[in-house]
């Protein structure tokens, strides 16, 4: 008799459908998606810019790594950036489900669950990133596989309110589906990488010709767009895994916030 995992594995994740729907939700809700990303990107820029300089944060200058103090400030900057990325991701998870269901986008309703999730999501993101980094020391593929393994930590924490149990929950949900998840993440990641390249590139041009204010605007807008697309795709991957493995519909997932 086939195991449950074997049965689940025969059901396609639907990489093409997830990628296509991610872009559909992204473009149809471009203004609220950008706004939620901007909240996180702007707060991150203001706080981290005060620590290491706005020019360093937007990528037009290098951080000072010549002293222990400089290294410490840069480490704090990275932690803060992860925390604000976590906030944006927690907001976008909720937007993705409302958009998928055709419900009104209500940013105010998303704030409280996002704030509750920010600490565990940020901590678990750092842990997962360190594990992926160690795995990548030998080869790139193991690091990417670890990324797929822990890819749905954010929606698991936000939706199921499981706190620091998010890593284990993500590992359970992604079992037997990590390679197709990786395929979806790579496809989305290429687009996000292009967006994230454009940001510092434009910021560098504007820094020289128009000043730091417009350079900062270019950086936070492109960062918001990249955050939006990646956050939506992760939310849809999580929803698809819950549907395949547990028979949970998007309506049931979204009802958590009612």
């Amino acid at each position: 008799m086939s195991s449950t995992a074997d049965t689940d594995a025969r059901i396609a994740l639907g990489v093409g459908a997830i990628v296509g729907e991610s872009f559909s939700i992204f473009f149809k809700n471009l203004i609220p998606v950008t706004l939620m990303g901007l909240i996180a990107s702007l707060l991150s820029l203001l706080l981290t810019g005060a620590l290491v300089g706005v020019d360093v944060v937007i990528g037009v200058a290098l951080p000072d790594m010549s002293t222990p103090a400089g290294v410490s400030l840069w480490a704090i900057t990275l932690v803060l950036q992860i925390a604000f990325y976590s906030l944006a991701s927690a907001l976008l998870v909720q937007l993705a489900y409302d958009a998928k269901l055709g419900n009104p986008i209500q940013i105010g309703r998303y704030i409280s669950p996002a704030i509750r999730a920010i600490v565990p999501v940020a901590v678990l993101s750092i842990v997962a990133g360190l594990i992926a980094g160690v795995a990548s020391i030998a080869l790139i593929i193991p690091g990417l596989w670890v990324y797929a393994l822990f890819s749905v930590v954010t929606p698991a924490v936000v939706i199921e309110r499981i706190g620091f149990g998010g890593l284990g929950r993500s590992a359970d949900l992604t079992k037997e589906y990590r390679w197709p998840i990786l395929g979806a993440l790579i496809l989305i990641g290429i687009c996000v990488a292009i967006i994230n390249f454009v940001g510092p590139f434009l910021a560098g041009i504007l820094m020289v010709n128009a000043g730091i204010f417009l350079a900062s605007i270019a950086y936070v807008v492109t960062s918001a767009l990249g955050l939006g697309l990646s956050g939506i795709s992760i939310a849809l991957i999580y929803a698809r895994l819950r549907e395949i493995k547990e028979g949970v519909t998007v309506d049931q997932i979204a009802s958590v916030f009612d």
Side-chain angles (χ1 to χ4, degrees), residues 146-166:
V146 170
Y147 181 47
L149 171 71
F150 297 132
S151 59
V152 295
V153 165
T154 297
V157 172
V158 175
I159 302 297
E160 301 177 50
R161 301 174 186 176
I162 55 176
F164 294 101

Side-chain angles (χ1 to χ4, degrees), residues 55-174:
D55 55 345
V56 173
V57 177
I58 65 178
V60 298
L62 295 175
D64 177 14
M65 306 293 280
S66 61
T67 65
V71 173
S72 298
L73 285 175
W74 183 241
I76 294 170
T77 295
L78 293 177
V79 171
L80 286 173
Q81 288 177 334
I82 291 171
F84 284 111
Y85 174 85
S86 301
L87 174 63
S89 298
L91 290 167
L92 289 159
V93 161
Q94 301 167 77
L95 177 146
Y97 299 137
D98 274 342
K100 185 176 175 66
L101 293 169
N103 295 334
I105 304 301
Q106 304 176 57
I107 296 177
R109 187 167 65 98
Y110 308 149
I111 293 175
S112 178
I115 290 175
R116 284 199 303 268
I118 188 172
V119 172
V121 169
V123 171
L124 296 179
S125 295
I126 292 170
V127 173
L130 290 173
I131 295 172
V134 171
S136 297
I137 290 174
L139 294 169
I140 293 175
I141 295 300
L144 293 174
W145 187 86
V146 170
Y147 181 47
L149 171 71
F150 297 132
S151 59
V152 295
V153 165
T154 297
V157 172
V158 175
I159 302 297
E160 301 177 50
R161 301 174 186 176
I162 55 176
F164 294 101
L167 290 181
R169 178 60 170 154
S170 180
D172 288 339
L173 282 173
T174 59

